[in-house]
Amino acid sequence: MNKASMAAVFLLFLLVVSLPPKWVTLHIAGLALVASVGFSRREDWCTAAIRTYLLCTALWLVPVLLTAGLQHAQGVATAPDWSALSIFVLRMLGIGLGLIILFQRGWLTLQSAAFALLCALSIHAGAGLIDFLTTPNASLTAWRELRINGLVFNPNPFGMFMALTAVLSAGLLSKQPQRTALWMLLVAALLGVWISGSRGAILTAATGFVVLFPPVDRRRLLVYLGCGALLASVYLYVVMHTPPSLYTDSDSARMQIISFTLEKIRQAPWLGWGIGAYEHLPGHVVNSPHNMWLDLALSSGLAALMGAIASTVLLVYRLYRCANPAARLALAVLAASLVAGSLEYSILDSTHFRGGWVLVTAFACFTLNERLQHTNAL
C-alpha cells in the first residue's frame, strides 16, 4: 500500500470507529472525505457508481429540499434552518461521493475497505463484551434488563451496529471460511446483538442472514426453522421471567407514536412539518417517529417518501441483478439497514443511521461499477 492508500484506509477507519459514539473525529473524517471529491477526474462522473449514487440520493433529497423551501415560504414554524440543511446535503452527498472517488482512484479497494470496517467495528464489539463481563449479575437470560451500551451509550444503536457487523462478517466468511479472526468477530457481534436487549437488532441481523443465505433448499430451510424455534423459545422464557412493563410499555409507546405520526402526516401530506419537527409538535410521545419512512413523510411530505421508496427499489433491483459476490453482500447489508431504519431510526436527523446509510449506499453503488469486474471481488 502506498501512502495515499494508507491514508484512505485510516480515514475510513476513523469515520466508522467514531460513528457509533459520535466522537468529534467523526466530523473531521467526514470533512476529509468531502474534500476527497476534489481528486475526481472527468471520467469519474460517468461511472455507474457515481450515477447510481447521485440518482438514488436525489430521488428523495430533492423533494426534501423543495418542501423545506415551501415550508419557509409559508411560514411553517418548524421549518428546518438553512444552515443545517446545507450541512445535511454536504454530508449526504459529499461523504458518499468522496468514498466512491477514493475507490475509483484505487486508493481504496473492497478488501482494504472491509479491513478498515472490521477493525473499527471490532473495537465496539470488544467494548460491548467488556461492558457485559463487568456488569454485576450479568447473564444472557437477563436479556431486556441488561441493555449493554458499549461505547455507544445507547443499547439500540449498539445492537444495530453489532447486527451489521455480524452480517458483514458472515458474508466475508462465506468466501473465506478459514479466517479465524472473522469467526471470532462474528461470535462477538452476535453476542453484542443479544446483550443489547434490542429486538430490532435481532430482526436486523436475521434479515441480513436470510439475504446472504436464502432458504433455497430443504436443509437450509430446516436450519432457519430450527433457529427461529430456538429464538422463540428463549424469547418466551425471558418474557416469562421479566417484568411485563419492559415489553408492554415499549409496545404501547410505539403504537402511540405511529398513530400520532400518521395523524400529523394526514394534516400536512405534501408539505410536511420540517426536519426534526416531530419533537416540537404538540402531543408528541417521544423525540422521533422511530421509523425512517414515517419520519420522511412527516418531515418532508409524501413526495419525499415516494422518492425514497423508488430509490430503494432501484438500488435493490440493481444489486440483485449484479452477479458478483460483493454486490450480494452489499444487498444483504442494505436489506439489514432498511429493517433497522424501519424499526428505529431516521435517515434525516439520526447521526448513527444517517452516517451508516451513506456508507452502505456508497459501497453498494461502487459494487455496480462496470470496472469492478477487473478488481478482486470479496
Side-chain angles (χ1 to χ4, degrees):
M1 295 177 66
N2 56 33
K3 292 182 179 179
S5 297
M6 293 176 64
V9 171
F10 175 75
L11 193 59
L12 179 58
F13 167 82
L14 187 64
L15 180 77
V16 177
V17 79
S18 306
L19 181 58
K22 296 188 286 191
W23 290 330
V24 68
T25 45
L26 172 65
H27 308 297
I28 297 173
L31 284 173
L33 283 170
V34 172
S36 300
V37 178
F39 293 107
S40 64
R41 299 171 184 172
R42 180 178 297 179
E43 59 268 23
D44 285 321
W45 300 94
C46 299
T47 62
I50 293 288
R51 292 200 308 267
T52 304
Y53 186 83
L54 288 174
L55 177 59
C56 289
T57 305
L59 280 172
W60 62 267
L61 184 57
V62 170
V64 167
L65 297 177
L66 288 176
T67 53
L70 292 173
Q71 290 161 6
H72 279 281
Q74 296 193 11
V76 177
T78 51
D81 184 73
W82 284 114
S83 60
L85 274 176
S86 301
I87 295 173
F88 174 68
V89 173
L90 197 63
R91 287 173 175 169
M92 295 306 303
L93 288 178
I95 293 177
L97 291 175
L99 278 171
I100 296 175
I101 294 300
L102 292 179
F103 275 118
Q104 295 184 164
R105 291 276 65 76
W107 296 332
L108 273 180
T109 65
L110 289 176
Q111 289 80 13
S112 64
F115 175 75
L117 288 171
L118 293 176
C119 286
L121 292 170
S122 65
I123 291 174
H124 291 289
L129 292 180
I130 292 173
D131 192 5
F132 171 68
L133 293 173
T134 56
T135 299
N137 303 318
S139 68
L140 290 176
T141 55
W143 177 48
R144 288 284 283 175
E145 295 177 283
L146 274 175
R147 308 316 307 273
I148 294 299
N149 297 307
L151 295 173
V152 187
F153 309 113
N154 188 319
N156 290 333
F158 171 70
M160 178 191 71
F161 281 106
M162 290 301 97
L164 296 179
T165 303
V167 174
L168 182 60
S169 301
L172 295 175
L173 277 169
S174 66
K175 297 300 177 184
Q176 306 170 38
Q178 74 281 4
R179 296 294 182 91
T180 304
L182 284 177
W183 281 108
M184 293 174 63
L185 182 56
L186 174 61
V187 172
L190 289 175
L191 283 173
V193 169
W194 184 260
I195 62 181
S196 71
S198 171
R199 291 174 288 181
I202 293 176
L203 293 175
T204 296
T207 301
F209 282 121
V210 170
V211 175
L212 270 178
F213 312 106
V216 293
D217 54 44
R218 181 179 297 179
R219 184 179 64 177
R220 192 172 288 179
L221 179 60
L222 290 175
V223 169
Y224 279 124
L225 290 176
C227 290
L230 177 61
L231 283 175
S233 300
V234 175
Y235 179 80
L236 290 174
Y237 174 82
V238 174
V239 169
M240 292 173 60
H241 295 81
T242 303
S245 60
L246 287 177
Y247 295 93
T248 56
D249 289 351
S250 175
D251 295 339
S252 176
R254 285 186 178 274
M255 295 305 298
Q256 294 178 47
I257 292 168
I258 293 173
S259 178
F260 175 80
T261 304
L262 290 175
E263 174 59 23
K264 290 302 177 182
I265 293 172
R266 186 193 65 79
Q267 294 176 12
W270 299 109
L271 187 62
W273 297 89
I275 298 175
Y278 182 93
E279 60 182 333
H280 302 294
L281 298 175
H284 69 276
V285 182
V286 289
N287 62 344
S288 70
H290 288 274
N291 181 293
M292 61 181 286
W293 311 108
L294 291 178
D295 186 64
L296 267 169
L298 179 138
S299 301
S300 304
L302 295 178
L305 174 62
M306 290 186 289
I309 293 173
S311 167
T312 302
V313 171
L314 173 65
L315 188 54
V316 168
Y317 174 75
R318 295 201 62 184
L319 288 171
Y320 179 77
R321 289 290 302 273
C322 193
N324 66 69
R328 190 177 304 114
L329 177 54
L331 178 60
V333 177
L334 175 63
S337 300
L338 287 171
V339 171
S342 300
L343 295 175
E344 190 71 29
Y345 302 99
S346 164
I347 200 172
L348 295 175
D349 57 9
S350 170
T351 300
H352 289 124
F353 189 71
R354 183 172 56 199
W357 183 261
V358 170
L359 289 171
V360 170
T361 308
F363 289 144
C365 289
F366 179 70
T367 64
L368 300 173
N369 195 328
E370 61 270 16
R371 294 186 304 174
L372 186 62
Q373 59 183 330
H374 303 300
T375 68
N376 294 321
L378 286 177

